[in-house]
Amino acid sequence: MKSIKLREGKERSALRRHPWIFDSAIAKGSGDAGETVRVEAHDGKFLGWASFSPASKIRARIWSFDESQRIDASFFKASIARAIAARSRFDIQSNGVRLIHGESDGLPGLIVDRYDDILVASFLSCGTERWKAVIADELLAQTGLTQLYERSDSNVRKLEGLPEVTGWLRGEGATAVVLREHDWQLSLDVAEGHKTGFYLDQRDSRKKFADYAKRLQFQRVLNCYCYTGGFTVAALAGGAAHVTSIDSSGPAIELAKANVALNGFDAARTTMMDADVNASLREFYKQGQMFDAIVLDPPKFAPSAAHADRAARAYKDINRLAFKILAPGGVLFTYSCSGGISADLFHKIVASAGIDAPCDGYISERMQGAPDHPMTLTFPEGEYLKGLVVVKAAELVEKAAAAPISNDSV
């Protein structure tokens, strides 16, 4: 068995049961791509069994911290069973569920989503790539399904020195699926959609938005970066009078229209815009348009902490513009799915946007990914999705309205 030895003082993370070993932490030792290696402290003390990734900054990902554990087919069988069993403890109102969430389920680099009768898997590390066949067979055996589609097309694969791979890994058939989610349905295509086909992580946020729409009787709703219209359908299900949805992807807009029709809603209650969100927000402000509720659910602006500064400016700009066109007492659902932006930093960004708008707001709720996308005690990086529900404070807006806002500040 090959081994890697860490530099003195670099074992602290592993001792806290964090699975990542960075290249800079390794004093000596290596392995082949995906090979299981023994991880040792500088004094030879055992730390874990890990898969080795020669090309990645995350040079090793720990499978197990148990020295007696063998990394074999039995290990993956038990790990997959444990992850699937955990989902039975969560309240998941959908036939679309994340079964395995990488490091949070003890399987670094593996993402598996179930869309009704189709499994979709992303093998994002050298370790999961090496064990792909075993993992695929075990997933089908434990779910009783026959179809497994591979979506190993994330940029993370490039960092691992792996090529993109997509297509049927087990079985075959149509890739279009209609999901049941809460009180509505959403169509998707596992071969074409973002990530593994859809954003299951926002399932509970969509339900929360529908609840707000029903309780506060939203008249005009703006859904930015609407993708295939999940929040649009939720708003309509909650009784919103009219929803304007914006995305820069024409195909996504067409799917959003189809999802509105799928749920039996009148298309006249919607406006679908194939357009740039930032430019659209500025235009709405110039026109004096106001909305009772706004959703900002942008794509990942900061893939890592190194991009945080640039991403912070982008997040601040769209939130500042949203506050300007949010009616007094209106509700902003704003999100970041960037791992490089912490929940604390995101709060500060949104607060800064409010100050520049200028307005204040009540933070009604903090949002996160659905429970089948867990953050664990030992892997806080699992909390990539964070959000705030902000109710614009009407009385402060009225005071600020007396001060003119120049076009330069827009």
Side-chain angles (χ1 to χ4, degrees):
M1 178 68 67
K2 294 180 182 178
S3 64
I4 58 174
K5 185 166 289 189
L6 304 189
R7 300 180 187 278
E8 186 172 0
K10 295 296 185 180
E11 72 281 356
R12 298 190 188 97
S13 179
L15 289 173
R16 294 195 300 269
R17 303 180 73 84
H18 193 286
W20 290 351
I21 304 295
F22 289 91
D23 59 346
S24 59
I26 299 174
K28 63 178 181 179
S30 66
D32 296 330
E35 184 177 9
T36 299
V37 297
R38 177 187 173 95
V39 182
E40 299 177 348
H42 74 283
D43 58 2
K45 179 182 178 181
F46 173 83
L47 295 173
W49 299 112
S51 63
F52 196 77
S53 297
S56 176
K57 287 290 185 182
I58 305 176
R59 193 56 50 89
R61 292 172 169 82
I62 297 178
W63 293 122
S64 173
F65 298 90
D66 180 359
E67 190 170 5
S68 65
Q69 176 72 61
R70 291 179 58 86
I71 307 303
D72 54 15
S74 296
F75 166 80
F76 290 98
K77 179 178 181 178
S79 297
I80 291 170
R82 184 168 56 249
I84 292 175
R87 271 59 188 172
S88 68
R89 310 297 295 176
F90 304 142
D91 181 18
I92 301 173
Q93 298 297 316
S94 176
N95 60 346
V97 56
R98 173 149 297 182
L99 296 180
I100 297 176
H101 191 54
E103 284 81 350
S104 295
D105 285 303
L107 292 166
L110 179 63
I111 299 296
V112 181
D113 289 335
R114 176 172 181 166
Y115 296 103
D116 197 17
D117 290 335
I118 298 177
L119 294 179
V120 183
S122 296
F123 300 87
L124 304 177
S125 66
C126 289
T128 54
E129 181 70 18
R130 191 179 183 105
W131 288 96
K132 183 187 292 185
V134 170
I135 291 170
D137 290 341
E138 198 56 50
L139 285 168
L140 295 182
Q142 295 200 33
T143 59
L145 302 180
T146 60
Q147 295 174 294
L148 173 57
Y149 197 89
E150 181 173 3
R151 283 293 303 269
S152 299
D153 53 355
S154 167
N155 287 335
V156 175
R157 294 266 299 188
K158 296 178 181 178
L159 301 178
E160 292 284 302
L162 299 171
E164 294 185 2
V165 181
T166 61
W168 288 108
L169 187 57
R170 297 287 188 273
E172 59 182 12
T175 56
V177 182
V178 175
L179 283 187
R180 170 190 53 79
E181 180 181 282
H182 301 295
D183 298 325
W184 51 81
Q185 299 180 87
L186 297 166
S187 59
L188 61 103
D189 191 316
V190 300
E192 302 294 336
H194 291 179
K195 301 174 79 174
T196 63
F198 193 60
Y199 293 104
L200 295 175
D201 51 3
Q202 287 284 37
R203 180 193 313 113
D204 292 352
S205 283
R206 287 187 285 268
K207 177 61 166 62
K208 181 70 68 174
F209 193 61
D211 292 344
Y212 269 72
K214 182 177 182 179
R215 180 169 59 84
L216 298 179
Q217 299 182 339
F218 296 150
Q219 296 301 299
R220 300 194 64 198
V221 172
L222 176 61
N223 181 14
C224 299
Y225 310 98
C226 71
Y227 187 43
T228 57
F231 278 101
T232 300
V233 169
L236 294 170
H242 192 275
V243 184
T244 298
S245 306
I246 309 174
D247 201 281
S248 59
S249 167
I253 287 292
E254 291 304 311
L255 274 173
K257 293 178 181 178
N259 279 328
V260 169
L262 176 65
N263 288 275
F265 298 123
D266 185 352
R269 293 172 62 191
T270 68
T271 298
M272 299 288 180
M273 298 174 58
D274 178 357
D276 177 76
V277 168
N278 199 290
S280 298
L281 292 173
R282 293 174 185 275
E283 187 61 29
F284 289 146
Y285 175 70
K286 291 178 181 178
Q287 295 172 358
Q289 294 197 50
M290 302 293 284
F291 297 88
D292 300 315
I294 299 175
V295 178
L296 291 179
D297 188 20
K300 187 184 297 185
F301 286 166
S304 69
H307 301 84
D309 287 345
R310 183 177 63 185
R313 290 191 292 272
Y315 283 120
K316 179 179 177 180
D317 198 35
I318 59 172
N319 279 277
R320 178 177 60 86
L321 291 167
F323 278 128
K324 286 178 178 293
I325 60 174
L326 185 64
V331 182
L332 172 65
F333 275 59
T334 181
Y335 297 90
S336 166
C337 64
S338 297
I341 301 291
S342 68
D344 180 61
L345 176 57
F346 186 61
H347 183 159
K348 292 176 180 177
I349 291 169
V350 176
S352 181
I355 290 170
D356 285 1
C359 72
D360 200 353
Y362 305 102
I363 296 178
S364 174
E365 300 187 54
R366 294 181 181 272
M367 306 300 292
Q368 60 186 22
D372 50 338
H373 296 64
M375 172 186 67
T376 62
L377 298 175
T378 58
F379 189 69
E381 290 85 351
E383 189 187 20
Y384 66 96
L385 178 62
K386 69 285 298 183
L388 296 172
V389 180
V390 184
V391 179
K392 191 171 179 179
E395 67 277 10
L396 296 182
V397 174
E398 290 166 1
K399 294 176 182 178
I405 301 173
S406 69
N407 288 335
D408 293 338
S409 66
V410 178

